Amino acid sequence: MSIQLGKLCSCIVQQHFGDVVRMVADDLFAAVAKTLPMIIKSTGLTKSEVCKALAILLKFGLARYQPNKTGTATEYILDYEKVLMVLRYPRFVHLIQTKYGPESATLTEELLRAGCQTASYVILKATAIADVKDKNTITKFREKFGDLVAKNYFIRAPDPKPVDSANEVVQLDYESANLFQMPELDLRKLLDLQEGKSTKAPDEGIHWLVNLEKFHLDFRDSIMINAAERLIDASAGECLKYLLQLMYTRTKPWELVSNPIPMVELKQLCEKKSNNLEMIKFLDQYVAVIESVNFVSKFGDTGGGQYTVNMKKILEQLTWSCVENVITEKYGSKAARIFRVIRIKKYIEQEDIQKEAMIPAKEAKQLTYKLLEENFLQIQTFRKTGGGNAGAPKSFFLFYVNQTQIVAMLLEICYKSLYNSITRSTHDKTVNKRLIEKSQRLDSIVEAMKDRGESEEYIAEIQETLTPPEKEILQKVKIRVKSLYSAEIGIDETIFLLKLYQQYQRK
């Protein structure tokens, strides 16, 4: 945890849940764990306000609770990783929209808005905003919800269970075997609930969450497939996609290295699912090329050859590429070349850097020490033995790269950039709030006039109520906010990759 991460979490919570929830989240971030009386005392808020704020954080999975060491009280902990994932919600919806269609995307969006909710509630909310609200619509949303549960995108919320019968302290039970079991949803009861009749929900007490782990697996696979497409071509990316599908049938999703995958099974899967005749024809060559870039490794020759997917090695390569891209953008291609030389050589002296990188001595020295100053390089000092008492012992210096330290530093930069982007976007919207609201009102009036069949001259006259200077300011604000939002998405993708690297390094 760091200052930049704390500021970013505070900014995200305030933007989505308000000041009171932000104060409680800030207080929890500053401590490892706190009980309810401790939060009330340190924040200065009333018990009712703190309880409501904690309920919101718990409902959206941004905090968790556990019994204290003595088992006599409940402690609350802020899950700052989940707070950062709030920025990823639009990407979750877009992924579902792309893979399963608009109905599934609507269900995902409504469940993300609710945080933790029953299936019947989410289905009825999705039906309420649908264009057609009939029996077939509810049936379709019910089927789509079941499909998302079957695909593991939705997961049951854990049930609280008492720690001890002697007190009221509870903890969550994560060991249920029914995490992806869809309850029976009677269509007649859903229709009665839609019509406002006082009927008990068919799945009362069974709550659902969005399964973040499943989305992150899809994002991870997408990063690797896109990398294969950039390095080789689209057919190689498709080949890797089928390799990953086979990997999931025999290996746990987050393992460092997959179990061996027979070439025969890969051929059968490609012939069954793919329409890419070129890839099927040259499948052996594509696998060999993917192996040459260290995305897969040959395990044995049985069954036409067996291959393993080394996740840790792939993410290390992608992280190195990310770091080198950052250096290229900030300091130029020559600095990236120096960095690459030092990384490959592991330990190297200054005189050897300029020779290996083929850069003039003065420029090589300037760039090397600039990278050292910015913590992209580290230096190790060794004292030469011998020399007697003739003077101070001589030393020589070796440059090296510490990838773990660089990743931690880049994460801090990403947190700061993301905070600045969100703050600037919020500032632009606040300063121009009146103008934005005026434009939105005008757009709704014009739409209503078009529906009524008003004349074009009259509509143009109404549109002129927004003056040219106001239109210019509004256009600039829209472009800047859109640009900042695009930057936020790019930064979040970088954070995701760097976090994946750290996750695999800890195993």
Side-chain angles (χ1 to χ4, degrees), residues 139-190:
T139 305
K140 192 172 185 180
F141 276 119
R142 184 182 65 173
E143 289 173 357
K144 292 289 184 182
F145 196 98
D147 290 343
L148 290 171
V149 172
K151 298 285 185 182
N152 294 359
Y153 286 101
F154 293 167
I155 186 171
R156 281 196 187 190
D159 296 319
K161 65 175 183 179
V163 177
D164 193 345
S165 57
N167 55 53
E168 298 179 353
V169 178
V170 296
Q171 65 182 7
L172 295 176
D173 179 16
Y174 289 95
E175 298 178 1
S176 173
N178 305 320
L179 292 177
F180 300 105
Q181 184 178 340
M182 185 70 182
E184 287 292 330
L185 295 178
D186 188 351
L187 184 59
R188 187 180 298 279
K189 287 187 177 181
L190 288 176

Short mmCIF file of all heavy atoms in Angstrom, two decimals, residues 139-190:
data_model
loop_
_atom_site.label_atom_id
_atom_site.label_comp_id
_atom_site.label_asym_id
_atom_site.label_seq_id
_atom_site.Cartn_x
_atom_site.Cartn_y
_atom_site.Cartn_z
N THR A 139 -38.53 -14.59 -20.07
CA THR A 139 -38.00 -15.94 -20.33
C THR A 139 -36.58 -15.86 -20.91
O THR A 139 -35.68 -16.62 -20.51
CB THR A 139 -38.92 -16.69 -21.31
OG1 THR A 139 -40.24 -16.70 -20.80
CG2 THR A 139 -38.43 -18.11 -21.52
N LYS A 140 -36.40 -14.92 -21.84
CA LYS A 140 -35.08 -14.77 -22.47
C LYS A 140 -34.03 -14.32 -21.47
O LYS A 140 -32.91 -14.88 -21.43
CB LYS A 140 -35.18 -13.76 -23.62
CG LYS A 140 -33.96 -13.75 -24.52
CD LYS A 140 -34.20 -12.87 -25.74
CE LYS A 140 -33.02 -12.95 -26.71
NZ LYS A 140 -33.22 -12.12 -27.90
N PHE A 141 -34.38 -13.35 -20.61
CA PHE A 141 -33.43 -12.87 -19.60
C PHE A 141 -33.13 -13.96 -18.58
O PHE A 141 -31.99 -14.09 -18.11
CB PHE A 141 -33.97 -11.63 -18.90
CG PHE A 141 -33.71 -10.34 -19.64
CD1 PHE A 141 -34.75 -9.54 -20.08
CD2 PHE A 141 -32.41 -9.93 -19.90
CE1 PHE A 141 -34.50 -8.36 -20.76
CE2 PHE A 141 -32.15 -8.74 -20.57
CZ PHE A 141 -33.20 -7.96 -21.02
N ARG A 142 -34.13 -14.77 -18.25
CA ARG A 142 -33.90 -15.88 -17.31
C ARG A 142 -32.91 -16.88 -17.90
O ARG A 142 -32.00 -17.36 -17.21
CB ARG A 142 -35.23 -16.56 -16.99
CG ARG A 142 -35.12 -17.67 -15.95
CD ARG A 142 -36.44 -18.35 -15.69
NE ARG A 142 -36.92 -19.07 -16.87
CZ ARG A 142 -37.99 -19.86 -16.87
NH1 ARG A 142 -38.67 -20.05 -15.75
NH2 ARG A 142 -38.37 -20.47 -17.98
N GLU A 143 -33.07 -17.20 -19.18
CA GLU A 143 -32.15 -18.12 -19.85
C GLU A 143 -30.74 -17.54 -19.93
O GLU A 143 -29.75 -18.25 -19.70
CB GLU A 143 -32.67 -18.43 -21.25
CG GLU A 143 -33.92 -19.29 -21.26
CD GLU A 143 -34.52 -19.43 -22.65
OE1 GLU A 143 -33.98 -18.79 -23.59
OE2 GLU A 143 -35.53 -20.15 -22.80
N LYS A 144 -30.65 -16.25 -20.25
CA LYS A 144 -29.33 -15.60 -20.34
C LYS A 144 -28.62 -15.58 -18.99
O LYS A 144 -27.40 -15.78 -18.91
CB LYS A 144 -29.49 -14.17 -20.87
CG LYS A 144 -29.94 -14.08 -22.32
CD LYS A 144 -28.84 -14.51 -23.28
CE LYS A 144 -29.24 -14.33 -24.73
NZ LYS A 144 -28.19 -14.79 -25.66
N PHE A 145 -29.40 -15.34 -17.92
CA PHE A 145 -28.80 -15.35 -16.58
C PHE A 145 -28.24 -16.74 -16.26
O PHE A 145 -27.12 -16.88 -15.75
CB PHE A 145 -29.85 -14.95 -15.53
CG PHE A 145 -29.26 -14.58 -14.20
CD1 PHE A 145 -29.06 -13.26 -13.86
CD2 PHE A 145 -28.89 -15.56 -13.27
CE1 PHE A 145 -28.51 -12.92 -12.62
CE2 PHE A 145 -28.35 -15.24 -12.05
CZ PHE A 145 -28.15 -13.89 -11.73
N GLY A 146 -29.02 -17.78 -16.61
CA GLY A 146 -28.55 -19.15 -16.40
C GLY A 146 -27.31 -19.47 -17.20
O GLY A 146 -26.40 -20.16 -16.71
N ASP A 147 -27.23 -18.95 -18.43
CA ASP A 147 -26.04 -19.17 -19.26
C ASP A 147 -24.80 -18.53 -18.63
O ASP A 147 -23.71 -19.13 -18.62
CB ASP A 147 -26.25 -18.58 -20.66
CG ASP A 147 -27.28 -19.38 -21.47
OD1 ASP A 147 -27.56 -20.52 -21.07
OD2 ASP A 147 -27.80 -18.84 -22.47
N LEU A 148 -24.96 -17.31 -18.10
CA LEU A 148 -23.82 -16.62 -17.48
C LEU A 148 -23.36 -17.32 -16.21
O LEU A 148 -22.17 -17.34 -15.90
CB LEU A 148 -24.19 -15.15 -17.18
CG LEU A 148 -24.35 -14.25 -18.41
CD1 LEU A 148 -24.92 -12.90 -18.02
CD2 LEU A 148 -23.02 -14.06 -19.13
N VAL A 149 -24.31 -17.91 -15.48
CA VAL A 149 -23.94 -18.71 -14.30
C VAL A 149 -23.20 -19.97 -14.74
O VAL A 149 -22.17 -20.34 -14.16
CB VAL A 149 -25.20 -19.07 -13.48
CG1 VAL A 149 -24.84 -20.07 -12.37
CG2 VAL A 149 -25.82 -17.82 -12.86
N ALA A 150 -23.71 -20.61 -15.79
CA ALA A 150 -23.06 -21.84 -16.30
C ALA A 150 -21.65 -21.56 -16.81
O ALA A 150 -20.76 -22.40 -16.69
CB ALA A 150 -23.92 -22.44 -17.41
N LYS A 151 -21.44 -20.36 -17.37
CA LYS A 151 -20.12 -19.97 -17.87
C LYS A 151 -19.22 -19.41 -16.77
O LYS A 151 -18.10 -18.96 -17.04
CB LYS A 151 -20.26 -18.92 -18.97
CG LYS A 151 -21.03 -19.37 -20.21
CD LYS A 151 -20.20 -20.29 -21.08
CE LYS A 151 -20.94 -20.63 -22.36
NZ LYS A 151 -20.19 -21.56 -23.21
N ASN A 152 -19.74 -19.39 -15.53
CA ASN A 152 -18.99 -18.94 -14.33
C ASN A 152 -18.75 -17.44 -14.28
O ASN A 152 -17.87 -16.97 -13.56
CB ASN A 152 -17.65 -19.67 -14.20
CG ASN A 152 -17.81 -21.14 -13.95
OD1 ASN A 152 -18.92 -21.64 -13.84
ND2 ASN A 152 -16.71 -21.85 -13.85
N TYR A 153 -19.54 -16.64 -15.02
CA TYR A 153 -19.39 -15.19 -14.94
C TYR A 153 -20.13 -14.62 -13.72
O TYR A 153 -19.78 -13.57 -13.23
CB TYR A 153 -19.90 -14.51 -16.22
CG TYR A 153 -18.96 -14.69 -17.38
CD1 TYR A 153 -19.22 -15.64 -18.37
CD2 TYR A 153 -17.80 -13.95 -17.49
CE1 TYR A 153 -18.35 -15.83 -19.44
CE2 TYR A 153 -16.92 -14.14 -18.54
CZ TYR A 153 -17.21 -15.08 -19.52
OH TYR A 153 -16.34 -15.26 -20.57
N PHE A 154 -21.16 -15.33 -13.25
CA PHE A 154 -21.86 -14.98 -12.03
C PHE A 154 -21.61 -16.08 -11.01
O PHE A 154 -21.56 -17.27 -11.36
CB PHE A 154 -23.37 -14.83 -12.26
CG PHE A 154 -23.76 -13.67 -13.15
CD1 PHE A 154 -25.05 -13.58 -13.65
CD2 PHE A 154 -22.86 -12.67 -13.47
CE1 PHE A 154 -25.43 -12.54 -14.47
CE2 PHE A 154 -23.22 -11.62 -14.30
CZ PHE A 154 -24.51 -11.55 -14.80
N ILE A 155 -21.45 -15.69 -9.75
CA ILE A 155 -21.15 -16.66 -8.68
C ILE A 155 -22.00 -16.33 -7.47
O ILE A 155 -22.32 -15.17 -7.20
CB ILE A 155 -19.63 -16.61 -8.33
CG1 ILE A 155 -19.27 -17.70 -7.35
CG2 ILE A 155 -19.24 -15.24 -7.79
CD1 ILE A 155 -17.76 -17.83 -7.13
N ARG A 156 -22.41 -17.38 -6.75
CA ARG A 156 -23.21 -17.15 -5.55
C ARG A 156 -22.41 -16.42 -4.47
O ARG A 156 -21.23 -16.72 -4.27
CB ARG A 156 -23.72 -18.48 -4.98
CG ARG A 156 -24.92 -19.05 -5.72
CD ARG A 156 -25.57 -20.12 -4.87
NE ARG A 156 -26.62 -20.80 -5.60
CZ ARG A 156 -27.49 -21.64 -5.06
NH1 ARG A 156 -27.39 -21.93 -3.77
NH2 ARG A 156 -28.43 -22.22 -5.78
N ALA A 157 -23.07 -15.51 -3.78
CA ALA A 157 -22.42 -14.82 -2.66
C ALA A 157 -22.28 -15.78 -1.50
O ALA A 157 -23.18 -16.59 -1.25
CB ALA A 157 -23.25 -13.61 -2.25
N PRO A 158 -21.17 -15.74 -0.77
CA PRO A 158 -20.99 -16.64 0.38
C PRO A 158 -21.98 -16.32 1.50
O PRO A 158 -22.34 -15.16 1.71
CB PRO A 158 -19.54 -16.37 0.82
CG PRO A 158 -19.23 -15.01 0.30
CD PRO A 158 -20.01 -14.85 -0.97
N ASP A 159 -22.41 -17.34 2.19
CA ASP A 159 -23.38 -17.16 3.29
C ASP A 159 -22.63 -16.91 4.59
O ASP A 159 -21.61 -17.57 4.87
CB ASP A 159 -24.25 -18.40 3.43
CG ASP A 159 -25.10 -18.63 2.19
OD1 ASP A 159 -25.62 -17.64 1.65
OD2 ASP A 159 -25.22 -19.81 1.77
N PRO A 160 -23.14 -16.00 5.43
CA PRO A 160 -22.52 -15.80 6.75
C PRO A 160 -22.88 -16.95 7.69
O PRO A 160 -24.00 -17.47 7.66
CB PRO A 160 -23.14 -14.48 7.24
CG PRO A 160 -24.41 -14.34 6.48
CD PRO A 160 -24.24 -15.05 5.18
N LYS A 161 -21.92 -17.38 8.47
CA LYS A 161 -22.18 -18.44 9.45
C LYS A 161 -21.55 -18.03 10.78
O LYS A 161 -20.50 -17.36 10.80
CB LYS A 161 -21.62 -19.77 8.98
CG LYS A 161 -20.11 -19.82 8.86
CD LYS A 161 -19.63 -21.24 8.50
CE LYS A 161 -18.11 -21.28 8.47
NZ LYS A 161 -17.60 -22.62 8.14
N PRO A 162 -22.15 -18.38 11.92
CA PRO A 162 -21.60 -17.98 13.22
C PRO A 162 -20.28 -18.66 13.53
O PRO A 162 -20.10 -19.84 13.20
CB PRO A 162 -22.70 -18.40 14.21
CG PRO A 162 -23.47 -19.47 13.49
CD PRO A 162 -23.40 -19.14 12.04
N VAL A 163 -19.37 -17.90 14.11
CA VAL A 163 -18.08 -18.46 14.51
C VAL A 163 -18.25 -19.36 15.72
O VAL A 163 -17.65 -20.43 15.82
CB VAL A 163 -17.08 -17.32 14.83
CG1 VAL A 163 -15.76 -17.88 15.32
CG2 VAL A 163 -16.86 -16.45 13.61
N ASP A 164 -19.08 -18.90 16.62
CA ASP A 164 -19.26 -19.62 17.88
C ASP A 164 -20.71 -19.41 18.34
O ASP A 164 -21.27 -18.32 18.19
CB ASP A 164 -18.28 -19.05 18.92
CG ASP A 164 -18.19 -19.92 20.15
OD1 ASP A 164 -19.06 -20.78 20.31
OD2 ASP A 164 -17.25 -19.72 20.95
N SER A 165 -21.30 -20.41 18.86
CA SER A 165 -22.69 -20.28 19.33
C SER A 165 -22.80 -19.37 20.54
O SER A 165 -23.89 -18.88 20.86
CB SER A 165 -23.24 -21.67 19.68
OG SER A 165 -22.42 -22.30 20.66
N ALA A 166 -21.68 -19.07 21.18
CA ALA A 166 -21.71 -18.26 22.40
C ALA A 166 -21.83 -16.76 22.11
O ALA A 166 -22.21 -16.00 22.98
CB ALA A 166 -20.45 -18.52 23.23
N ASN A 167 -21.48 -16.32 20.88
CA ASN A 167 -21.59 -14.89 20.57
C ASN A 167 -22.18 -14.71 19.17
O ASN A 167 -22.44 -15.66 18.46
CB ASN A 167 -20.22 -14.20 20.69
CG ASN A 167 -19.16 -14.87 19.84
OD1 ASN A 167 -19.34 -15.05 18.64
ND2 ASN A 167 -18.03 -15.24 20.47
N GLU A 168 -22.37 -13.44 18.80
CA GLU A 168 -23.04 -13.12 17.53
C GLU A 168 -22.07 -12.87 16.38
O GLU A 168 -22.49 -12.48 15.29
CB GLU A 168 -23.92 -11.88 17.72
CG GLU A 168 -25.04 -12.08 18.74
CD GLU A 168 -25.88 -10.84 18.92
OE1 GLU A 168 -25.50 -9.79 18.35
OE2 GLU A 168 -26.91 -10.90 19.61
N VAL A 169 -20.78 -13.05 16.58
CA VAL A 169 -19.79 -12.80 15.54
C VAL A 169 -19.93 -13.85 14.43
O VAL A 169 -20.04 -15.05 14.70
CB VAL A 169 -18.35 -12.83 16.11
CG1 VAL A 169 -17.32 -12.61 15.02
CG2 VAL A 169 -18.21 -11.75 17.19
N VAL A 170 -19.94 -13.38 13.17
CA VAL A 170 -20.10 -14.30 12.04
C VAL A 170 -18.93 -14.15 11.07
O VAL A 170 -18.20 -13.16 11.10
CB VAL A 170 -21.42 -14.02 11.27
CG1 VAL A 170 -22.61 -14.30 12.15
CG2 VAL A 170 -21.46 -12.61 10.72
N GLN A 171 -18.76 -15.15 10.23
CA GLN A 171 -17.78 -15.08 9.14
C GLN A 171 -18.41 -15.70 7.89
O GLN A 171 -19.40 -16.42 7.96
CB GLN A 171 -16.49 -15.81 9.51
CG GLN A 171 -16.65 -17.31 9.71
CD GLN A 171 -15.35 -17.97 10.12
OE1 GLN A 171 -14.35 -17.31 10.37
NE2 GLN A 171 -15.36 -19.29 10.19
N LEU A 172 -17.84 -15.39 6.72
CA LEU A 172 -18.41 -15.85 5.46
C LEU A 172 -17.94 -17.26 5.13
O LEU A 172 -16.77 -17.59 5.33
CB LEU A 172 -18.02 -14.89 4.33
CG LEU A 172 -18.59 -13.47 4.44
CD1 LEU A 172 -18.06 -12.61 3.31
CD2 LEU A 172 -20.11 -13.47 4.41
N ASP A 173 -18.86 -18.06 4.62
CA ASP A 173 -18.56 -19.45 4.26
C ASP A 173 -18.29 -19.51 2.75
O ASP A 173 -19.21 -19.42 1.94
CB ASP A 173 -19.75 -20.34 4.63
CG ASP A 173 -19.50 -21.79 4.26
OD1 ASP A 173 -18.32 -22.14 4.02
OD2 ASP A 173 -20.46 -22.57 4.21
N TYR A 174 -17.02 -19.66 2.38
CA TYR A 174 -16.62 -19.71 0.97
C TYR A 174 -16.52 -21.14 0.44
O TYR A 174 -16.12 -21.33 -0.69
CB TYR A 174 -15.26 -19.02 0.78
CG TYR A 174 -15.32 -17.51 0.93
CD1 TYR A 174 -15.03 -16.91 2.15
CD2 TYR A 174 -15.64 -16.69 -0.14
CE1 TYR A 174 -15.07 -15.53 2.29
CE2 TYR A 174 -15.69 -15.32 -0.01
CZ TYR A 174 -15.40 -14.74 1.21
OH TYR A 174 -15.45 -13.38 1.34
N GLU A 175 -16.85 -22.12 1.25
CA GLU A 175 -16.60 -23.51 0.86
C GLU A 175 -17.86 -24.22 0.35
O GLU A 175 -17.92 -25.44 0.33
CB GLU A 175 -16.01 -24.26 2.06
CG GLU A 175 -14.67 -23.70 2.51
CD GLU A 175 -14.11 -24.42 3.72
OE1 GLU A 175 -14.78 -25.36 4.19
OE2 GLU A 175 -13.03 -24.04 4.18
N SER A 176 -18.83 -23.45 -0.05
CA SER A 176 -20.07 -24.06 -0.54
C SER A 176 -19.82 -24.76 -1.88
O SER A 176 -19.08 -24.27 -2.73
CB SER A 176 -21.15 -22.99 -0.71
OG SER A 176 -22.28 -23.54 -1.34
N ALA A 177 -20.48 -25.91 -2.08
CA ALA A 177 -20.32 -26.66 -3.34
C ALA A 177 -21.29 -26.17 -4.41
O ALA A 177 -21.27 -26.64 -5.54
CB ALA A 177 -20.55 -28.14 -3.07
N ASN A 178 -22.16 -25.21 -4.05
CA ASN A 178 -23.20 -24.76 -4.98
C ASN A 178 -22.93 -23.36 -5.54
O ASN A 178 -23.87 -22.60 -5.80
CB ASN A 178 -24.57 -24.76 -4.28
CG ASN A 178 -24.91 -26.11 -3.68
OD1 ASN A 178 -24.63 -27.14 -4.29
ND2 ASN A 178 -25.50 -26.11 -2.50
N LEU A 179 -21.68 -23.02 -5.70
CA LEU A 179 -21.34 -21.65 -6.11
C LEU A 179 -21.90 -21.30 -7.49
O LEU A 179 -22.18 -20.14 -7.78
CB LEU A 179 -19.81 -21.47 -6.11
CG LEU A 179 -19.14 -21.51 -4.74
CD1 LEU A 179 -17.63 -21.39 -4.89
CD2 LEU A 179 -19.66 -20.38 -3.85
N PHE A 180 -22.05 -22.30 -8.36
CA PHE A 180 -22.54 -22.04 -9.72
C PHE A 180 -23.81 -22.84 -10.02
O PHE A 180 -24.06 -23.20 -11.16
CB PHE A 180 -21.44 -22.38 -10.74
CG PHE A 180 -20.18 -21.57 -10.55
CD1 PHE A 180 -19.06 -22.15 -9.98
CD2 PHE A 180 -20.13 -20.24 -10.92
CE1 PHE A 180 -17.90 -21.41 -9.78
CE2 PHE A 180 -18.98 -19.49 -10.73
CZ PHE A 180 -17.86 -20.08 -10.17
N GLN A 181 -24.62 -23.08 -8.99
CA GLN A 181 -25.88 -23.81 -9.17
C GLN A 181 -27.02 -22.81 -9.27
O GLN A 181 -27.30 -22.06 -8.34
CB GLN A 181 -26.11 -24.77 -8.01
CG GLN A 181 -27.36 -25.62 -8.20
CD GLN A 181 -27.54 -26.61 -7.06
OE1 GLN A 181 -26.59 -26.92 -6.34
NE2 GLN A 181 -28.76 -27.09 -6.88
N MET A 182 -27.69 -22.81 -10.40
CA MET A 182 -28.80 -21.88 -10.65
C MET A 182 -30.06 -22.36 -9.94
O MET A 182 -30.45 -23.53 -10.09
CB MET A 182 -29.03 -21.80 -12.16
CG MET A 182 -30.06 -20.78 -12.57
SD MET A 182 -29.48 -19.10 -12.34
CE MET A 182 -30.95 -18.20 -12.85
N PRO A 183 -30.73 -21.48 -9.16
CA PRO A 183 -31.97 -21.90 -8.49
C PRO A 183 -33.13 -21.98 -9.49
O PRO A 183 -33.07 -21.41 -10.58
CB PRO A 183 -32.21 -20.78 -7.47
CG PRO A 183 -31.55 -19.59 -8.07
CD PRO A 183 -30.36 -20.11 -8.83
N GLU A 184 -34.18 -22.68 -9.11
CA GLU A 184 -35.37 -22.77 -9.96
C GLU A 184 -36.13 -21.44 -9.91
O GLU A 184 -36.50 -20.98 -8.82
CB GLU A 184 -36.28 -23.90 -9.48
CG GLU A 184 -35.74 -25.29 -9.78
CD GLU A 184 -35.72 -25.60 -11.27
OE1 GLU A 184 -36.58 -25.05 -11.99
OE2 GLU A 184 -34.84 -26.36 -11.70
N LEU A 185 -36.34 -20.82 -11.06
CA LEU A 185 -37.06 -19.55 -11.13
C LEU A 185 -38.38 -19.78 -11.86
O LEU A 185 -38.41 -19.94 -13.08
CB LEU A 185 -36.22 -18.50 -11.86
CG LEU A 185 -34.92 -18.06 -11.17
CD1 LEU A 185 -34.17 -17.06 -12.04
CD2 LEU A 185 -35.19 -17.47 -9.81
N ASP A 186 -39.47 -19.82 -11.09
CA ASP A 186 -40.80 -20.04 -11.66
C ASP A 186 -41.21 -18.82 -12.47
O ASP A 186 -41.27 -17.70 -11.94
CB ASP A 186 -41.80 -20.30 -10.52
CG ASP A 186 -43.16 -20.74 -11.05
OD1 ASP A 186 -43.35 -20.68 -12.28
OD2 ASP A 186 -44.01 -21.13 -10.24
N LEU A 187 -41.52 -19.04 -13.74
CA LEU A 187 -41.87 -17.92 -14.63
C LEU A 187 -43.14 -17.21 -14.17
O LEU A 187 -43.23 -15.98 -14.26
CB LEU A 187 -42.03 -18.44 -16.06
CG LEU A 187 -42.30 -17.40 -17.15
CD1 LEU A 187 -41.18 -16.38 -17.22
CD2 LEU A 187 -42.48 -18.07 -18.50
N ARG A 188 -44.11 -17.97 -13.66
CA ARG A 188 -45.36 -17.35 -13.20
C ARG A 188 -45.11 -16.38 -12.05
O ARG A 188 -45.68 -15.29 -12.01
CB ARG A 188 -46.34 -18.46 -12.77
CG ARG A 188 -47.74 -17.94 -12.44
CD ARG A 188 -48.63 -19.10 -12.03
NE ARG A 188 -48.79 -20.05 -13.11
CZ ARG A 188 -49.64 -19.90 -14.11
NH1 ARG A 188 -50.42 -18.83 -14.17
NH2 ARG A 188 -49.73 -20.83 -15.06
N LYS A 189 -44.25 -16.79 -11.12
CA LYS A 189 -43.94 -15.91 -9.99
C LYS A 189 -43.20 -14.66 -10.45
O LYS A 189 -43.41 -13.57 -9.92
CB LYS A 189 -43.10 -16.67 -8.95
CG LYS A 189 -43.89 -17.70 -8.16
CD LYS A 189 -43.07 -18.29 -7.03
CE LYS A 189 -43.89 -19.26 -6.20
NZ LYS A 189 -43.10 -19.82 -5.08
N LEU A 190 -42.29 -14.82 -11.43
CA LEU A 190 -41.58 -13.65 -11.96
C LEU A 190 -42.55 -12.68 -12.63
O LEU A 190 -42.42 -11.45 -12.47
CB LEU A 190 -40.52 -14.11 -12.97
CG LEU A 190 -39.27 -14.81 -12.42
CD1 LEU A 190 -38.38 -15.28 -13.56
CD2 LEU A 190 -38.49 -13.91 -11.49
#
